[in-house]
Amino acid sequence: MAVSLPSSSPLPASLPSNLLTRSRLLSPLSHALQLKRLLASSPAGRTRSFSLRSSSPRVGAFAADSSSAVGSELSTELDAVSRFSEIVPDTVSAIETALADSACYEQDDPNDRLSCFCDKALVNVGTDLARLVPGRVSTEVDARLAYDALGIVRKVHRLLQLYYELEVPSERLLFKIPSTWQGIEAAKLLESEGIQTHLTFVYSFPQAAAAAQAGASVIQIFVGRIRDWSRNHTGDPELDAICRKGEDPGLELVAKAYNYIHKYGHKSKLMVAAIRNKQDIFSLLGVDYMILPLKILQSLKESITYPDEKYSFVRKLSPSSAMTYNFSQEELVNWDEASFSSAMGPASKELLAAVLEGYANQTKRVEELFGKIWPPPNV
């Protein structure tokens, strides 16, 4: 069981004010239906992350330029890292049952009823989170719709309507969608309607670039998973070229995507996940969001940095340095389904297929659990 960060936790009392909180919706059986709570506030109470003013988002790293380093005052590594990137601790929120909802149990089709229960559960938890703290709530779309663009759009509209019924406005919401071509197309349509999207499961530059061109509000890359694949496989041209240069393929993909977004003026914010150690953090200082496991977060908090520290915390990613990054003509295409499909290498295809299968199976198990315990007592 993962750990949440309520006010009674030993962490929040001294965490930096720009901390982001990430909550994941779990069933007793699985991690299938996720919600993430993303919030951040800067000193003096100014919103720094996931601003409620969608027309002018104010998400960004803290360092002013690539030469910035931590000052001479005594501080922890967590304080130092938080000057450059918003930090998202990995936590879990409890889920309230939705089985007593009359609109769901009145449906005759069992599959429709179970889907209704799951949608209500997601929205109920998201609403509770939205009422607790400022910022945006990211609600995960059913992974079984990953290759159905219209199905994704309909599902998001359904979830959005449920949020409206509970008086949660769209500017408080993100909808997390798999980065298949169909998912990216759905995100493009939803963003054109003013609905904010969070494209996830990005394992290649074509996915990141196409997501940015679609106008996704948030793009999420999994650093550790890409690294793991490259250590155990060869044959992916994109990753093999990076490894031949002696670079880490996960870290390099993040840097490349960040530079592409900022060099060419895309509105997307970049989030990194599957961070395995503190060196990953130091290598990506300046990225918009980091999702950190609590173990690493605690280590940062407990590690004191002294003025004469042998290394300094220097911003690695910045809009100004992005301007000097060179892209090939092949990387600067306007992505369509054909070019996207042909550019996806073995790593991104395998990783995406595996995670979608896992999430689809977990969602099915959640629905099966709901089916076993329905109808609930006193209904």
Side-chain angles (χ1 to χ4, degrees), residues 66 259 262-264 316 318-327:
S66 59
N259 290 330
H262 286 275
K263 183 170 184 174
Y264 297 105
K316 304 296 184 180
S318 69
S320 59
S321 63
M323 298 302 161
T324 65
Y325 194 95
N326 294 319
F327 292 89

Side-chain angles (χ1 to χ4, degrees), residues 2-5 21-25 35 89-93 292 294:
V3 181
S4 62
L5 287 176
T21 301
R22 176 179 182 266
S23 296
R24 178 179 296 146
L25 172 61
L35 280 177
D90 221 347
T91 64
V92 172
S93 73
L292 300 185
L294 287 177

Side-chain angles (χ1 to χ4, degrees), residues 216-342:
S217 296
V218 177
I219 299 171
Q220 184 171 343
I221 296 176
F222 292 80
V223 173
R225 295 181 192 175
I226 298 167
R227 178 187 301 139
D228 294 343
W229 193 96
S230 66
R231 286 175 174 172
N232 297 298
H233 304 80
T234 58
D236 186 291
E238 182 181 356
L239 300 190
D240 290 348
I242 296 171
C243 291
R244 283 194 297 269
K245 296 188 292 183
E247 298 173 352
D248 181 282
L251 299 178
E252 176 60 23
L253 176 58
V254 173
K256 191 173 186 178
Y258 179 94
N259 290 330
Y260 178 83
I261 289 168
H262 286 275
K263 183 170 184 174
Y264 297 105
H266 297 290
K267 74 170 189 177
S268 305
K269 300 300 179 182
L270 193 62
M271 172 181 283
V272 294
I275 288 178
R276 303 290 169 74
N277 52 63
K278 289 196 288 187
Q279 190 54 52
D280 286 347
I281 298 171
F282 303 149
S283 299
L284 296 173
L285 292 179
V287 71
D288 300 303
Y289 304 110
M290 292 183 180
I291 296 177
L292 300 185
L294 287 177
K295 182 178 180 180
I296 294 179
L297 186 61
Q298 184 69 37
S299 177
L300 289 171
K301 181 176 182 293
E302 294 174 349
S303 300
I304 302 300
T305 59
Y306 295 92
D308 59 348
E309 189 71 46
K310 64 180 180 181
Y311 59 88
S312 61
F313 293 86
V314 178
R315 183 169 186 167
K316 304 296 184 180
L317 303 174
S318 69
S320 59
S321 63
M323 298 302 161
T324 65
Y325 194 95
N326 294 319
F327 292 89
S328 68
Q329 289 301 312
E330 292 78 11
E331 294 168 336
L332 297 179
V333 300
N334 290 320
W335 296 96
D336 56 25
E337 186 171 7
S339 60
F340 180 87
S341 298
S342 65

Side-chain angles (χ1 to χ4, degrees), residues 78-101:
L78 180 58
D79 295 327
V81 168
S82 298
R83 295 174 183 266
F84 297 91
S85 297
E86 308 285 359
I87 305 303
V88 186
D90 221 347
T91 64
V92 172
S93 73
I95 179 172
E96 296 282 341
T97 181
L99 296 181
D101 186 87

Side-chain angles (χ1 to χ4, degrees), residues 158-231:
R158 162 67 176 162
L159 294 169
L160 191 58
Q161 180 60 41
L162 292 174
Y163 273 116
Y164 284 161
E165 291 173 3
L166 296 175
E167 300 182 345
V168 181
S170 61
E171 59 264 27
R172 299 292 310 281
L173 301 169
L174 283 161
F175 293 94
K176 189 177 178 186
I177 298 169
S179 293
T180 59
W181 177 254
Q182 292 79 6
I184 293 170
E185 284 286 276
K188 183 177 181 179
L189 177 58
L190 292 166
E191 291 282 351
S192 72
E193 297 175 350
I195 299 171
Q196 300 170 100
T197 60
H198 174 175
L199 282 170
T200 187
F201 308 145
V202 173
Y203 305 107
S204 66
F205 179 74
Q207 286 177 287
Q213 290 180 6
S217 296
V218 177
I219 299 171
Q220 184 171 343
I221 296 176
F222 292 80
V223 173
R225 295 181 192 175
I226 298 167
R227 178 187 301 139
D228 294 343
W229 193 96
S230 66
R231 286 175 174 172

Side-chain angles (χ1 to χ4, degrees), residues 16-66:
S17 60
N18 60 310
L19 183 72
L20 292 176
T21 301
R22 176 179 182 266
S23 296
R24 178 179 296 146
L25 172 61
L26 299 180
S27 75
L29 292 177
S30 71
H31 291 70
L33 301 174
Q34 262 194 47
L35 280 177
K36 291 191 301 184
R37 177 58 192 158
L38 301 171
L39 64 132
S41 56
S42 69
R46 295 175 298 166
T47 299
R48 290 302 299 244
S49 173
F50 285 139
S51 172
L52 302 185
R53 290 191 289 271
S54 59
S55 62
S56 180
R58 299 175 61 194
V59 187
F62 271 53
D65 55 55
S66 59

